[in-house]
Amino acid sequence: MERIIEIIKEIKPTAVVDENTRLLDDHVLDSLSMVSLVSELCDEYDVDITPVDVVPENFATVKDIAAMIERLEDED
């Protein structure tokens, strides 16, 4: 989860983020930063995040992102 937080902070340097931050509800992520985040996560974790995976439930918190990545890794 720490690496996911680092990636988010690289994309949004002014963001205050921890594992429970509500990334969408607190407007940490917008549409442009979501595109960047998905790209970075795909590269970092060598997973394919498809449009089907890009739903609020998977990006609500860092914990949700980590769970999605773990699920995608298990599917490979």
Side-chain angles (χ1 to χ4, degrees):
M1 276 192 263
E2 288 301 316
R3 181 63 186 134
I4 296 170
I5 293 170
E6 289 173 14
I7 292 170
I8 293 170
K9 288 183 178 181
E10 288 169 9
I11 294 168
K12 299 285 280 202
T14 59
V16 177
V17 180
D18 64 29
E19 63 187 34
N20 296 308
T21 300
R22 305 294 301 173
L23 300 171
L24 302 174
D25 293 343
D26 294 343
H27 306 285
V28 173
L29 298 176
D30 56 24
S31 57
L32 183 59
S33 58
M34 280 289 291
V35 171
S36 298
L37 178 60
V38 167
S39 175
E40 291 293 326
L41 292 171
C42 287
D43 291 345
E44 179 73 23
Y45 294 98
D46 194 31
V47 294
D48 290 323
I49 300 173
T50 66
V52 172
D53 299 311
V54 183
V55 294
E57 296 80 27
N58 287 337
F59 289 88
T61 67
V62 172
K63 283 183 180 180
D64 295 324
I65 295 170
M68 175 191 63
I69 290 169
E70 189 173 308
R71 178 179 50 80
L72 292 172
E73 288 174 332
D74 289 346
E75 288 176 3
D76 285 341

